[in-house]
Amino acid sequence: MYKNKIKVALTIDFEDYNYNFSRDYIGNNPEFNQEELKKQYWILRESFDTLGAKATFFIVSKIIKLLGNNIINDIKNNYHIGCHSYQHFNLSRLSEKDFDLDTDRAKKILEDIFQKEILYYRAPYFSAEKITNFFYKILSKHSFQYSSSIRLSNTTKSIITNEYNIHEIPLKSFGIGTKKYTIIGGTYFRITPLNLIIKLLKNAAKNNFIPMVYLHNYDFDPFAKKLKFINLKGKINNEIRYYGRKSVFDKLQGISNEFEFTSLDDFVNEWK
């Protein structure tokens, strides 16, 4: 156990994986799986309690009421809350007007339910990178102050303030195109060995990034219902989405020996 632990931001993109991918990649008109979402939340809660972890939850607002009052109140009382859009569309497919409407609706729902101002935003699929010409303008219009939606290979600042006075908290990545190896979360977290994850987080901290672990509620649930893809590409992608879920908690526990898990607003409060 290390006495002087490095802080690492722990963020959760809370969404319904089966709903999103059935709609976006299979073309179905699916229903949300309310019981699975609830189950996954309590898995997260137990895991974070065991780790003594603080976290930021970026929530898709369309599903929040499905969680019920007990979970809503538990999130409000224990975690930092951000917005992950209204219905988790890839933003590159939205016009400026549609993104404006989605963002307005998402923020109003979360603020009404949690009775607090929501200042942080994360774009679905890191897709803000393709709409930077209006992304920050719309966030500013709706009084967001912080975003963690962009991936960069290098930065001189851990928090970058732009012309719209939105403070972007980038994630370190390498590669080109949409499939950048991003440090570190989701599939990359599940397939990468623990010792390499620790090295990557330390490297991010040394290179002016806020070291960050970004995960999804479904990453903790190896027994979630699998989607049924007809084509081979879909089947392979679906298997990748499930690979390594059983290892997620153990990896977090290993990271916690050297790092202290905290929320994004803790880093921002130190930065101010």
Side-chain angles (χ1 to χ4, degrees), residues 205-220:
K206 288 179 180 178
N207 286 278
N208 304 312
F209 288 88
I210 290 175
M212 194 181 312
V213 172
Y214 68 94
L215 293 167
H216 310 82
N217 41 301
Y218 58 80
D219 285 319
F220 291 76

Side-chain angles (χ1 to χ4, degrees), residues 33-42 66-68 71:
N33 192 327
Q34 183 179 30
E35 294 309 311
E36 197 161 86
L37 290 170
K38 288 181 176 181
K39 177 189 70 172
Q40 290 168 358
Y41 176 76
W42 291 118
L66 297 175
L67 298 179
I71 290 178

Side-chain angles (χ1 to χ4, degrees), residues 7 54-56 80 120 210 260-272:
K7 284 189 175 183
K54 297 166 68 176
T56 293
H80 174 232
Y120 289 68
I210 290 175
E260 175 188 348
F261 291 117
T262 191
S263 57
L264 272 181
D265 64 327
D266 272 1
F267 277 97
V268 168
N269 289 334
E270 291 180 6
W271 168 76
K272 286 180 179 178

Side-chain angles (χ1 to χ4, degrees), residues 27 30 32 38 40 44-45 47 115 136 143 148 167 181-182 192 196 212 214:
F32 291 112
K38 288 181 176 181
Q40 290 168 358
L44 286 172
R45 181 71 157 91
S47 299
Q115 290 296 295
Y136 293 113
S143 301
S148 184
H167 310 293
Y181 186 101
T182 308
T192 303
L196 181 54
M212 194 181 312
Y214 68 94

Side-chain angles (χ1 to χ4, degrees), residues 152-160 170 206-209 271:
L152 299 174
S153 57
N154 297 287
T155 186
T156 58
K157 297 179 180 179
S158 59
I159 300 177
I160 303 166
K206 288 179 180 178
N207 286 278
N208 304 312
F209 288 88
W271 168 76

Side-chain angles (χ1 to χ4, degrees), residues 115-239:
Q115 290 296 295
K116 62 171 64 179
E117 194 173 16
I118 304 298
L119 302 177
Y120 289 68
Y121 186 95
R122 172 168 288 156
Y125 304 117
F126 291 110
S127 54
E129 295 168 349
K130 294 188 177 182
I131 60 164
T132 52
N133 57 319
F134 59 78
F135 176 67
Y136 293 113
K137 180 174 74 171
I138 298 302
L139 291 190
S140 177
K141 176 182 176 180
H142 296 290
S143 301
F144 284 98
Q145 295 181 13
Y146 302 94
S147 167
S148 184
S149 304
I150 300 295
R151 300 167 294 178
L152 299 174
S153 57
N154 297 287
T155 186
T156 58
K157 297 179 180 179
S158 59
I159 300 177
I160 303 166
T161 304
N162 60 39
E163 61 184 303
Y164 295 101
N165 206 34
I166 300 294
H167 310 293
E168 178 65 42
I169 307 167
L171 291 87
K172 184 170 176 56
S173 67
F174 52 87
I176 58 174
T178 57
K179 295 299 182 183
K180 297 176 183 176
Y181 186 101
T182 308
I183 302 169
I184 190 167
T187 298
Y188 305 114
F189 186 90
R190 289 183 278 103
I191 68 175
T192 303
L194 174 60
N195 61 343
L196 181 54
I197 290 175
I198 291 173
K199 288 180 181 178
L200 289 169
L201 288 171
K202 288 180 177 179
N203 178 264
K206 288 179 180 178
N207 286 278
N208 304 312
F209 288 88
I210 290 175
M212 194 181 312
V213 172
Y214 68 94
L215 293 167
H216 310 82
N217 41 301
Y218 58 80
D219 285 319
F220 291 76
D221 186 5
F223 304 108
K225 183 179 179 181
K226 289 189 176 183
L227 294 175
K228 294 182 179 180
F229 284 88
I230 297 174
N231 61 72
L232 181 61
K233 182 179 178 181
K235 290 178 180 179
I236 292 171
N237 285 336
N238 195 42
E239 287 301 319

